[in-house]
Amino acid sequence: MNTRAALGLFGGTFDPIHSAHLRMVQAFRSELQLDEVRLIPAGQPYHREQGPHASPAQRLEMVQLAIAGLPGLAVDAREVQRNKPAYTVDTLEEIRAEIGPERPLWWLIGGDSLASLHTWRRWEDLFALANIAVALRPGFDETRLPAAVRTQWQQRQVTDFSNGAPSGTMRPLTLPPLDVSATAIRQRLQSGADTGTLLSAPVLAYIRQHGLYL
């Protein structure tokens, strides 16, 4: 394995995985010229009051179906396989130990996650483990970020992904995400509305086969 080939990570509940997720992860891989991006379904998301609608195993299977045949994408099941809440810092520590200290590692988050980054467990340790890419929605205003997060955002931003830093930098993704949410998709599925452009055919077939979100 090329120890300098950049690796990307994209965690999420994926309840279900949908077109905006796929568009974002492909833009992430393309813009950062990543060798591989691993999608990491959350097993027991600690930050949500209500648990996911689909089981961890079902959400993992849907991610596997959604990315089948897409180059450079893989699924990492470690958080699903844990029998305790999954914290990002723990996952990054595990992966950093596996790939070594020199390989560039990027973690993709959304703008909402950036705004709440200071509430994550050991959040300042994240920068020693990975670089952070942020998919920002149109109209993003950094002045509204909490002061501690805004300071990190301003000090760590890079404009050139080729710097090759293993960790410690931040960068916005230039492609805005589609305005699609898993909540809205679940509502459309429940009401019988069309979801043809929002879900891949294998994922929609899986949802219907298992009677999810009804």
Side-chain angles (χ1 to χ4, degrees), residues 81-183:
Q81 293 167 349
R82 284 186 198 145
N83 56 6
K84 60 182 180 179
Y87 294 97
T88 296
V89 68
D90 296 335
T91 296
L92 291 181
E93 282 181 335
E94 286 181 9
I95 293 174
R96 176 54 73 189
E98 293 164 6
I99 67 174
E102 298 302 320
R103 189 174 181 187
L105 183 63
W106 284 88
W107 179 264
L108 174 62
I109 63 174
D112 293 345
S113 294
L114 177 66
S116 63
L117 194 64
H118 62 299
T119 68
W120 292 23
R121 184 184 192 187
R122 292 171 47 206
W123 73 280
E124 290 178 308
D125 291 346
L126 298 174
F127 301 111
L129 298 166
N131 302 290
I132 299 178
V134 187
L136 298 175
R137 294 183 183 276
F140 169 74
D141 181 359
E142 70 175 42
T143 64
R144 296 184 178 181
L145 292 173
V149 176
R150 185 169 66 249
T151 297
Q152 298 284 4
W153 177 246
Q154 292 172 342
Q155 293 179 351
R156 294 182 180 276
Q157 270 196 73
V158 293
T159 57
D160 182 5
F161 283 135
S162 66
N163 65 75
S167 61
T169 68
M170 304 183 78
R171 171 79 187 253
L173 281 186
T174 58
L175 179 69
L178 292 169
D179 190 16
V180 178
S181 73
T183 300

Side-chain angles (χ1 to χ4, degrees), residues 64-81:
Q64 290 169 331
L65 289 168
I67 70 167
L70 296 179
L73 303 185
V75 181
D76 188 318
R78 75 183 65 223
E79 291 193 359
V80 166
Q81 293 167 349

